[in-house]
Each structure stands twice: as C-alpha cells, then as structure tokens.
Amino acid sequence: MSPLPPLNGQDSAALWERFRQLLWHDPDLSLWLDVSRMALEEQDLEAFEAPFARAFAAMEALEAGAIANADEGRQVGHYWLRAPELAPDPAVAAAIAAEVDRLEAFGRDVLAGTVTAPGGRPFTDVLWIGIGGSGLGPLLMLRALERQGVGLPFHFFDNVDPDGMARTLAGLADRLTTTLVIVVSKSGGTPEPHLGMVQARARVLAAGGDWSAQAVAITMGGSHLDQEAKAAGWLRRFDMFDWVGGRTSITSAVGLLPAALIGADLRGFLEGAAAMDRLTRVPDLRANPAALLAASWHVAGGGQGRRDMVVLPYRDRLEVFSRYLQQLVMESLGKRLDRDGVVVHQGLAVYGNKGSTDQHAYVQQLRDGLDNFFVTFIEVLEDPAEIPTIDGECPADFLEGFLQGTRAALAEQARQSITITLGRFDARGLGALIGLFERAVGLYGELVNVNAYHQPGVEAGKKAAAGILALQSRVEALLADGQPRSLAAIGAELELDAVEPVFWLLRHLCANDRGYGAKGDWGQPEGLVFQHT
C-alpha cells in the first residue's frame, strides 16, 4: 500500500486516496467508519504500533477478568453481558443468560397482559427512576427503538428536581394505579433514586395503588434496595451485577428491560454489540474500527483532549446519542490523575444535537470560528418507506446533501471530522454503535494511561453534597430555638470556616414554606438576620 497522503482539504485526489486507504467496512453489520478527514498521518500510524499493542493486551486482560477498577477492587465485565461465554466464571455466565431470559419473559408477559397491575388491569405506563447511566441508557433505547403504538409509554424521574417530579406525576394522574414503577440503584444507597422512589411510592399509595404489586427493582443482589424489595414482596427484582458500571450498563437489565417493555428486539441489540466486540478485538490498528477512533481522537487533541467531540447524528432516533456519549466518554476519560498518580487533567469534551437541525445552529462556528473540535457525523442509508418521493423531492436526499455538504465545507477550512455510516438503523445497529464507542473509550484510556472505569470526581461530588445536607441539619437544629441570628453568629456557634454555604441553604429554606424568615437586604448578606418562625 502506498503511503497515506497528508490531510489537505483543498486536494481532492489526496482526500480520495486517504478515504480509500482509511475506510473501514464490515458487510455483516453494514457499517462503515471513515477517519480520513482526521489529522491521522502515516507517521502516527507507525508511532502507534507499540502503544496499541499494549492497549490491545490490556483490553484482552480486562475481558478475561482482570481487576480493572483498582479503587473498588472490581472487575469490569460489561462485555460479558452480550457474550456470557466470555465470563471467567461459569456461574456468572449462567447468571447472565438466565437474567436475559427473565427480562425478555417479563416484558413479553406485561405487554401480553399476563402480568397485570392490581385488580387484573393491564399496565398502562412505566415510571422509570434512575440517575446517570441508569437514566440515559433507557432514554436512548426508547428514543432509538420505540415504535408508534407498540409497548408502554415511559416517564422518567432522572433528577431530584421537584418541579420535574410534579409534572411527571401530574401527567400520570389517574393512571398511577396502573403504572409499573422501576427503581434502578446499583448499591441501593444512591440518594437520587431513593428520593424519587419515596415520592413515587407516596403518590401511588395516595392514589389507591398497591406499591409492592407495581414496583420493580434493578439492583445488586443483597443491596439495601434488594433487601427492601424482597421483604416487601415487590413484583420483580432484576440483577445489576457488581462488575457493571452505570455508564456501561445499557446491555444489562438497565437497557434490556426498557427494550422488552417497548417490544424492541433486545436479542438483536445484544448481538449487534457482541458482533462489534468481536471486530474490535482485532490487534491491528488499521483493521480495528475502535482503534481507528481512539487514534484519531488522540492525534486531534494532542493526547490531551484539546479538541471537543461534536456528535452530529443525521437521524432523529439518535438525538439522545450525544448525551449518552457525553457520559460514557467524559466520565471515563475525565481524570485528574493517571494510573501512576501523576496530575494529567485528561479528558475529552462531548456535545452535539442532530443534523440537519444544526445546519442552522452551531455549524456556522464549526466552519468559520474557533478550531477547537472535531465532528463525528452519523448517517443511515436506508430510508423508511412511509416517506416517499413526492413531486421529485425526497427528504432523505436533502438530509444526505446536508451531511455531505457540511463535511466538505469543514474539510475546506481544515476542520476535522469522522463519519460513521449504517446501512440500516435497528436494534442490532444500535448495539454495534454502543460496542464501538465503549471499546474506543477503553483503548483511548490505555493510550493516555488513565483508569477509564472509576469516577473519583463523581464520588467527590456526592461526598460534598452529603456534607452540605449535614450542615443544613446542623443549621436547622441551631435555629430551632427561635432566636434570630446573623450569618456571622451562626458561623461562630457552629464553628464553621465559611458561612457562604449557610447563606445558600437559608436562602432556599426562606424561599419555600419551611418555617424560616429573614430580615434585611438579600443583596447585603452580612446584614441579614435569620429566624425560625
């Protein structure tokens, strides 16, 4: 093969040669990956040989059961979920296969009316309570795979925003007694799903429902939530294995149960992910699509994530995909320390929406503004027959034109881009996309020597939030005597180093009917006096 020509957006012959040499295609998945418009050069491909040899070996060890999350002493086994035979323990393999059977059967029985709400009525809705990957994964499954009039409509508690909860509950109204409530919490101790569960349970019971007959738990066996669900006789309990992280849980019960409840092809989804896993085990950079992605990311950002990834799927069904990738990529790669304890501040920022909507939004800046990004285009070739060509005009042709036009316009200005093309979009194709990016993230983490499978920053945020809530309890206990106090007085009595968090807490308490009042100018915090009324 001749040497790879340098990237030059003005040289059409060189661009075609780069496209021809770097194009990856798998006919079985009907999937193409084009990284020819990235700044990946011949010398990069040569320099990456040794680093990728180490990365491929590390991924092989991970799949074989090595401890990948040293912080928690955990294996990382989401790849086993779609190929149970790979699990290092036969008992684990059997458990995975059995759980998929249980999930599929439960979804089928709910939709068939065999499993019913209290009183024998069919379930009408699903209220899904989950945070982070336990909310984003299901949302992606629904937006990507749901079909009109098939399966149950879903509603989400994926935040602890009381306004969002209120609107969701109001929308369910008299259907609360026929709503299947699914609570997802791996440890069973995460505050957000617990708070959502408490609110949902209170409203279901107030409406005359039977909580235990309507509630389903997805959690680790033996967790607090698992014990509570078992003791109360909840409708079902499904396993969220210890070795599956939230951001890689979409091929577990977290993604499969929503698929089952909307009548989607969950087996096809798993098979697509497994097929991509097989293709991304190939220990050859040019022949491995995940390695090509990881290498392109590395070169574009100088190995430091200096360019953002802008995700532009040209299908409405993938509108949520950029949000899903945001968590998968940024939580995995955004690390202060590398594995050797060196401060590196690694990461790769991800944002996006969809094409061609973004032709009229931030594509203007992408072409003519700050050059601090690369684009990931995602297109689908097969069009739905329901939208035909009318008067010589076909919407799909315009969509293709916008994509190619934008890609070309970016190249002319030396702006980098990747294009992923699916021959068709279905459950299998979605599984393949998930598998591709999961492996690319794992390989990139190896290239930059960070642990892609822990989240110390997230844990730090949780601890800080717990500290604030503990401070609120102390402040409320102090003010319970009804005596007026300034912020300085409160800080002195509680022996605090800073009073700013107290101001924030009391401002919120005073804004609501919580029994607290303040005198003074809110623009001059030091002069305020607070009192429990």
Side-chain angles (χ1 to χ4, degrees):
M1 183 180 293
S2 59
L4 186 68
L7 179 62
N8 180 352
Q10 304 298 322
D11 186 341
S12 59
L15 288 176
W16 169 248
E17 181 61 18
R18 286 179 60 85
F19 177 78
R20 188 187 66 79
Q21 287 197 34
L22 290 175
L23 182 65
W24 179 92
H25 174 234
D26 180 69
D28 176 56
L29 283 174
S30 187
L31 192 150
W32 290 259
L33 172 66
D34 164 35
V35 298
S36 65
R37 268 44 171 187
M38 298 293 285
L40 194 62
E41 305 293 359
E42 186 70 35
Q43 62 267 28
D44 298 314
L45 296 173
E46 295 172 359
F48 272 133
E49 285 187 10
F52 267 104
R54 293 190 292 270
F56 291 138
M59 293 298 291
E60 184 178 359
L62 179 144
E63 287 195 300
I67 298 298
N69 189 339
D71 289 5
E72 301 173 18
R74 283 198 300 109
Q75 297 170 309
V76 173
H78 51 278
Y79 296 109
W80 310 334
L81 293 168
R82 49 263 201 166
E85 68 277 6
L86 295 179
D89 183 343
V92 171
I96 296 169
E99 199 72 353
V100 174
D101 289 341
R102 291 182 64 231
L103 288 160
E104 188 174 46
F106 179 70
R108 181 178 60 244
D109 291 346
V110 168
L111 297 186
T114 306
V115 172
T116 62
R121 295 169 296 168
F123 281 108
T124 58
D125 299 83
V126 176
L127 174 57
W128 188 278
I129 303 173
I131 195 75
S134 297
L136 277 171
L139 184 63
L140 173 61
M141 294 294 285
L142 295 169
R143 296 293 185 269
L145 301 178
E146 63 188 349
R147 295 168 292 163
Q148 188 69 33
V150 179
L152 298 180
F154 272 63
H155 315 267
F156 285 86
F157 278 4
D158 57 2
N159 194 3
V160 287
D161 175 14
D163 180 61
M165 290 181 176
R167 287 188 295 116
T168 298
L169 293 170
L172 287 166
D174 57 356
R175 301 194 310 280
L176 274 167
T177 58
T178 54
T179 293
L180 184 67
V181 185
I182 301 173
V183 184
V184 188
S185 178
K186 182 176 177 180
S187 67
T190 306
E192 294 94 332
H194 173 75
L195 289 166
M197 179 190 74
V198 170
Q199 291 292 328
R201 180 169 57 198
R203 191 63 66 91
V204 166
L205 294 175
D210 182 343
W211 174 258
S212 293
Q214 298 176 233
V216 171
I218 299 178
T219 186
M220 282 197 307
S223 73
H224 178 74
L225 177 60
D226 185 58
Q227 294 177 42
E228 180 179 349
K230 183 178 181 180
W234 285 22
L235 181 60
R236 287 290 190 283
R237 303 189 330 271
F238 293 107
D239 208 342
M240 191 171 180
F241 302 104
D242 174 57
W243 33 263
V244 176
R247 59 188 175 277
T248 54
S249 65
I250 195 168
T251 50
S252 75
V254 171
L256 299 184
L257 185 52
L261 291 169
I262 61 170
D265 180 11
L266 66 85
R267 299 278 179 177
F269 174 68
L270 290 172
E271 208 287 311
M276 182 56 73
D277 290 345
R278 292 190 293 271
L279 294 166
T280 54
R281 289 189 191 103
V282 175
D284 179 347
L285 170 54
R286 285 180 181 262
N288 184 319
L292 286 170
L293 276 183
S296 299
W297 298 350
H298 193 280
V299 170
Q304 291 288 328
R306 296 192 185 103
R307 290 181 186 273
D308 302 339
M309 178 173 11
V310 182
V311 182
L312 288 179
Y314 275 66
R315 289 287 168 158
D316 289 356
R317 286 187 176 275
L318 286 170
E319 182 178 6
V320 178
F321 195 55
S322 60
R323 288 180 57 196
Y324 179 82
L325 289 183
Q326 206 167 51
Q327 181 184 25
L328 174 64
V329 175
M330 295 177 72
E331 190 171 354
S332 297
L333 302 179
K335 303 294 161 66
R336 185 174 72 91
L337 303 176
D338 68 10
R339 287 197 177 101
D340 300 320
V342 177
V343 176
V344 290
H345 295 297
Q346 274 288 353
L348 176 56
V350 179
Y351 64 93
N353 190 1
K354 64 180 179 180
S356 64
T357 299
D358 287 304
Q359 307 302 133
H360 310 285
Y362 48 72
V363 165
Q364 169 63 36
Q365 176 169 316
L366 297 186
R367 185 181 186 277
D368 294 342
L370 191 63
D371 184 11
N372 65 341
F373 68 92
F374 62 90
V375 172
T376 299
F377 294 107
I378 304 174
E379 68 165 339
V380 179
L381 300 181
E382 186 175 275
D383 304 320
E386 294 87 344
I387 304 297
T389 298
I390 297 177
D391 296 331
E393 294 185 339
C394 177
D397 293 348
F398 281 86
L399 197 64
E400 173 71 15
F402 276 128
L403 187 152
Q404 283 205 45
T406 304
R407 177 174 174 270
L410 293 177
E412 288 171 359
Q413 294 298 312
R415 305 302 166 93
Q416 298 180 57
S417 69
I418 294 166
T419 303
I420 299 170
T421 301
L422 290 165
R424 71 193 65 84
F425 186 74
D426 53 16
R428 192 166 183 259
L430 179 63
L433 275 180
I434 297 293
L436 174 61
F437 279 93
E438 284 182 349
R439 184 81 61 163
V441 165
L443 290 171
Y444 185 92
E446 295 298 330
L447 292 181
V448 298
N449 193 33
V450 299
N451 184 347
Y453 306 105
H454 71 162
Q455 49 280 334
V458 176
E459 298 305 320
K462 290 179 179 179
K463 290 178 182 178
I468 292 295
L469 292 171
L471 174 60
Q472 178 175 329
S473 296
R474 294 179 65 199
V475 171
E476 291 193 76
L478 178 67
L479 295 179
D481 61 8
Q483 297 301 309
R485 291 176 175 85
S486 67
L487 288 171
I490 294 171
E493 290 188 59
L494 295 181
E495 299 181 343
L496 302 176
D497 294 329
V499 297
E500 184 176 337
V502 178
F503 170 78
W504 281 68
L505 288 169
L506 286 171
R507 182 174 59 180
H508 181 255
L509 290 171
C510 290
N512 294 278
D513 188 17
R514 303 284 286 275
Y516 294 88
K519 292 182 179 179
D521 182 354
W522 281 100
Q524 303 292 328
E526 68 278 5
L528 288 168
V529 175
F530 298 93
Q531 187 175 14
H532 186 269
T533 56

